[in-house]
Amino acid sequence: HYKAEAYRKANHAFGQAYRALPENFFFAMAYGLSLARVGQARRSSEVLSIADASLRPVDEDFPLKKGLVHFFQGMGLAYSKNYGLAFQAFRESLYWQQKGPEDPVLLSQTYNGLGYLTVMDQGLNVSKHAGLPEHTHVHRRDLERALPFFEQALTANPDNGTALRNYVALCDTLDTAAKVFSGGYRANEDTLTKTFLDMHRRILRDLELAEYDEVLFLVDVSGSMVME
């Protein structure tokens, strides 16, 4: 359902699974994320918070699960365009991921998300002036702050095509030479269910910087860049 972008159908299916087994952590993650995707931010937060409260340190996967909760909370906030709060949630996810055995796919997605949110958070104010159409101001320093996150995403998983496209696009904008990343990691379908592989892929596409037919960067009097 996620792969086909049938969000409401996915939400219905995940909701059925969650109501049947509300104590199942992964059902809660799937349902919470799908709720956020269809605009039910408050209910999404409730479901994810309940799952978070149920976690116990004796669980050998405790750090990874804590990281997943905060990652999905961050995705929900990003869907609501609360980019600053989403950034904080991703930071918290990173903190927990680094406390246990790392999942290279999730780690890469988290770093890519941090880069994406760094760019998106400082481009929220839409304005019109100087004869330009509606546009947002994008400071070069913020784009430069985003670049290392994409590099870390590709270090964790060079096969992350979304992070690679974000990284190359940003390097091109900043007129910076792109590094080459090797030693790819590919998700093992024996360890990740198909549902969660599809969710990973869908989330990656959600964290891709928008592609425009024409993206125009100008320098204006405020010292920022103008993205039309």
Side-chain angles (χ1 to χ4, degrees):
H1 287 312
Y2 257 79
K3 192 173 182 180
E5 299 187 4
Y7 301 121
R8 296 195 182 281
K9 289 183 179 179
N11 176 246
H12 177 72
F14 290 143
Q16 287 182 316
Y18 177 74
R19 285 186 288 274
L21 289 171
E23 71 280 4
N24 185 293
F25 175 79
F26 294 102
F27 287 171
M29 295 299 97
Y31 184 44
L33 179 65
S34 68
L35 283 165
R37 199 64 184 86
V38 298
Q40 297 185 44
R42 182 174 296 181
R43 177 60 178 152
S44 170
S45 178
E46 290 173 356
V47 169
L48 294 175
S49 294
I50 290 170
D52 188 26
S54 73
L55 296 178
R56 296 292 178 266
V58 293
D59 184 344
E60 63 180 359
D61 293 324
F62 179 75
L64 178 59
K65 288 180 177 178
K66 289 285 288 187
L68 279 168
V69 169
H70 290 290
F71 178 83
F72 286 131
Q73 287 174 332
M75 285 300 305
L77 289 162
Y79 289 145
S80 302
K81 301 188 185 304
N82 292 310
Y83 298 127
L85 292 176
F87 186 92
Q88 294 175 28
F90 272 55
R91 275 291 200 191
E92 188 71 11
S93 174
L94 192 61
Y95 168 81
W96 283 106
Q97 288 180 58
Q98 292 172 337
K99 282 186 167 292
E102 293 177 347
D103 173 351
V105 173
L106 179 62
L107 185 64
S108 180
Q109 287 180 246
T110 305
Y111 277 122
N112 178 64
L114 287 167
Y116 171 89
L117 293 166
T118 299
V119 173
M120 297 303 292
D121 187 42
Q122 45 79 50
L124 283 178
N125 295 322
V126 177
S127 61
K128 292 182 180 180
H129 67 79
L132 289 171
E134 191 172 87
H135 60 275
T136 58
H137 291 255
V138 181
H139 288 266
R140 182 183 179 90
R141 64 176 178 269
D142 293 310
L143 298 181
E144 290 172 344
R145 282 196 305 118
L147 202 60
F149 289 126
F150 295 127
E151 291 177 345
Q152 288 170 298
L154 291 166
T155 298
N157 177 19
D159 292 327
N160 186 336
T162 300
L164 180 61
R165 287 188 292 275
N166 286 342
Y167 176 62
V168 170
L170 206 52
C171 285
D172 184 61
T173 297
L174 295 171
D175 196 23
T176 299
K179 299 177 183 177
V180 176
F181 298 86
S182 60
Y185 172 92
R186 295 194 182 279
N188 183 346
E189 298 208 18
D190 293 332
T191 59
L192 290 173
T193 67
K194 187 175 187 304
T195 295
F196 276 85
L197 281 172
D198 287 345
M199 288 178 68
H200 271 303
R201 292 166 184 146
R202 175 62 258 177
I203 290 168
L204 282 170
R205 290 196 295 274
D206 288 340
L207 292 175
E208 186 163 7
L209 295 174
E211 294 182 9
Y212 301 90
D213 292 333
E214 182 177 354
V215 179
L216 179 65
F217 287 96
L218 303 170
V219 179
D220 73 358
V221 292
S222 69
S224 66
M225 299 174 116
V226 179
M227 184 170 68
E228 182 181 359

